[in-house]
Amino acid sequence: MSVLDIKLDRSFDVFDSDRDGRLVKSDVIGLSDRLAESHGLAPDALAGLRESLADLWDTVFQAMDRNDDGAVDRQEFRAAFRARIISDRNRIWERIRTMSNAWTELADRDRDGMLSRDEYTSLLHGMFRLPRETFDEAFDRLDLDGDGQLSRDEISSAMKEYYTSENHSAPGNQFFGRL
């Protein structure tokens, strides 16, 4: 299995909130509800993130459903994501950047436009329910300029690298923790 397949499988697992092996729209949009709950926010405070996740489903994930059963399984996800990266690179990155900017805005409690280690950890733990310690090493690898903060560009770059790089040592591979 390639490095990219390992990362795509991890990404699938992160989005599959009910762990049933199928992605449906409520799995993807539900990430915003989990974040709201973990941060003590009203769900309407996450309208921008909710909209970007719905758009991601409508324009990217839904098209992955090759057998029209209303859900995306792991194989459909992996194959379609690889094809989409090649054929629709600019539009998919625009949507991912919109989503990552919405995440950053919500997690940026001190409103400095950057994510501290705690803000980053709280964000990913809250949305994806992954252990907090998973993100300490990840934060260090993603903080490319070593300033103790993650900028929007560092986050966006890490996400892009996560979904495209076959290089096992690429820093962006750490976005959801160590592979």
Side-chain angles (χ1 to χ4, degrees), residues 93-119:
W93 293 127
E94 180 182 313
R95 288 181 178 92
I96 288 175
R97 187 169 184 81
T98 298
M99 182 178 60
S100 72
N101 286 343
W103 288 358
T104 304
E105 186 176 321
L106 290 169
D108 183 15
R109 292 185 300 257
D110 61 7
R111 302 291 179 235
D112 65 355
M114 310 278 270
L115 293 185
S116 67
R117 180 183 303 272
D118 182 58
E119 290 167 336

Side-chain angles (χ1 to χ4, degrees), residues 34-177:
R34 288 167 53 177
L35 182 61
E37 177 187 313
S38 72
H39 282 73
L41 301 170
D44 60 331
L46 301 172
L49 177 59
R50 194 174 187 79
E51 288 173 22
S52 71
L53 290 168
D55 179 59
L56 190 65
W57 174 267
D58 292 341
T59 59
V60 177
F61 285 94
Q62 190 170 13
M64 294 178 178
D65 181 14
R66 293 291 179 210
N67 62 3
D68 290 327
D69 66 351
V72 176
D73 66 30
R74 185 178 305 275
Q75 288 71 33
E76 288 172 322
F77 180 83
R78 193 188 296 160
F81 215 101
R82 281 180 166 276
R84 190 84 187 234
I85 293 299
I86 293 165
S87 68
D88 193 19
R89 186 174 296 267
N90 290 334
R91 285 193 293 173
I92 197 168
W93 293 127
E94 180 182 313
R95 288 181 178 92
I96 288 175
R97 187 169 184 81
T98 298
M99 182 178 60
S100 72
N101 286 343
W103 288 358
T104 304
E105 186 176 321
L106 290 169
D108 183 15
R109 292 185 300 257
D110 61 7
R111 302 291 179 235
D112 65 355
M114 310 278 270
L115 293 185
S116 67
R117 180 183 303 272
D118 182 58
E119 290 167 336
Y120 169 77
T121 300
S122 293
L123 168 72
L124 293 181
H125 172 73
M127 282 184 76
F128 305 121
R129 303 293 197 252
L130 298 171
R132 289 180 181 274
E133 50 279 356
T134 300
F135 303 112
D136 277 335
E137 182 180 346
F139 184 90
D140 292 338
R141 294 284 313 270
L142 299 178
D143 182 14
L144 299 175
D145 61 8
D147 68 353
Q149 304 278 334
L150 296 180
S151 68
R152 286 178 185 222
D153 287 340
E154 285 172 319
I155 293 167
S156 182
S157 174
M159 289 182 76
K160 186 172 186 176
E161 200 168 55
Y162 185 89
Y163 287 109
T164 61
S165 177
E166 288 282 7
N167 177 352
H168 194 279
S169 61
N173 292 351
Q174 302 290 317
F175 190 79
F176 293 119

